[in-house]
Amino acid sequence: MNIVLFGPPGAGKGTQAKELAKHYTIPHISTGDILRANVRDGTTLGIKAKEYMDKGELVPDEVLIGIIRDRLQQPDCKSGYMLDGYPRTIPQAEALKEILATISKPLDVVLNIEVPDKELIGRLSGRRMCSCGESYHMMFNPPLKQGICDACGGKLYQRDDDKEEVVRQRLEVYTAKTKPLIDYYSNMGILVNIDGTGSVEDVFRQICDVLDSHKK
Ligand SMILES: [Zn+2]
């Protein structure tokens, strides 16, 4: 079961990835995480990546793909993997395709969790934080007293990232960046759209139905 996972901010991709990894016993591979792990462990690729990160530059594709190739050859990827956060561009998708062919782990399915922008904006812009670490949602998980933290009585605030204009812009950037990849995998015939508007359980069940029907 070799999977790539797409989904806009607020679609619950992280939660689904965690549940899927458990259910199918395949690793959830987030490029950000493995990049940090390689840097921390001081691997050859990690040292190379750190040179760019220290300069505030993006890690080049050839370094990134090397890290992913190594990761996918670890024993825990024997019965599959779930890539999250990669690829982000068509050249990365092309490079990935080549690597996967050489290590005989081609993609089975690309999952695209879809949620209308309007709902995402509601989900993300309703979030409120407290400096004590608690977080709330005005609709789904409101505090007992409006604007006040249940745990410590502190004043709740909204992260700049969660402000409606910023959320709107994040979603626009996501759509513009992801659209070509969605088209690319759709043309390859391996893209499956998932309706992400239901409950976490609903969405999980949908994804499992898709994956189970792909199992050989
Ligand atoms: Zn608090």
Side-chain angles (χ1 to χ4, degrees):
M1 195 63 63
N2 304 331
I3 307 166
V4 164
L5 200 55
F6 286 115
K13 181 168 59 100
T15 310
Q16 295 297 335
K18 215 185 284 168
E19 292 301 315
L20 290 167
K22 230 189 299 167
H23 187 77
Y24 290 103
T25 352
I26 55 174
H28 169 212
I29 301 176
S30 139
T31 31
D33 290 350
I34 46 171
L35 206 51
R36 280 186 290 274
N38 271 272
V39 170
R40 188 193 59 219
D41 298 343
T43 67
T44 314
L45 286 163
I47 291 168
K48 216 180 258 173
K50 192 170 181 297
E51 283 174 24
Y52 294 95
M53 291 158 87
D54 284 348
K55 283 186 281 186
E57 289 170 17
L58 282 177
V59 178
D61 278 359
E62 66 266 24
V63 177
L64 215 48
I65 195 72
I67 288 176
I68 288 167
R69 184 184 48 218
D70 284 1
R71 181 64 187 88
L72 293 177
Q73 288 174 294
Q74 302 290 316
D76 64 342
C77 295
K78 220 175 132 216
S79 49
Y81 56 82
M82 187 171 27
L83 274 177
D84 176 7
Y86 194 91
R88 288 186 198 275
T89 63
I90 295 290
Q92 287 184 352
E94 297 278 7
L96 179 66
K97 193 178 165 197
E98 240 169 79
I99 293 290
L100 295 178
T102 62
I103 62 173
S104 302
K105 290 177 187 289
L107 285 174
D108 295 311
V109 58
V110 173
L111 298 170
N112 179 37
I113 305 177
E114 294 184 301
V115 179
D117 278 4
K118 210 178 148 218
E119 184 170 339
L120 291 173
I121 290 166
R123 288 186 192 181
L124 293 166
S125 63
R127 202 150 60 147
R128 293 294 179 273
M129 323 297 289
C130 178
S131 53
C132 78
E134 287 294 313
S135 72
Y136 300 86
H137 193 282
M138 295 199 311
M139 227 149 65
F140 309 125
N141 177 31
L144 293 171
K145 226 163 134 194
Q146 202 190 334
I148 303 293
C149 176
D150 294 348
C152 77
K155 201 165 174 278
L156 301 182
Y157 66 94
Q158 187 176 34
R159 274 178 26 183
D160 284 342
D161 250 21
D162 293 338
K163 300 220 159 106
E164 186 171 332
E165 323 80 76
V166 181
V167 168
R168 220 178 268 279
Q169 209 184 351
R170 277 164 72 196
L171 293 177
E172 260 169 43
V173 169
Y174 173 82
T175 306
K177 275 197 167 173
T178 315
K179 176 84 169 55
L181 290 166
I182 300 300
D183 293 344
Y184 175 87
Y185 286 120
S186 175
N187 289 333
M188 272 174 71
I190 55 172
L191 184 85
V192 178
N193 290 315
I194 301 292
D195 176 2
T197 55
S199 68
V200 170
E201 293 74 24
D202 285 344
V203 176
F204 183 68
R205 183 64 17 230
Q206 263 188 77
I207 296 176
C208 289
D209 285 348
V210 169
L211 295 182
D212 292 342
S213 72
H214 271 78
K215 258 194 198 157
K216 289 143 211 154

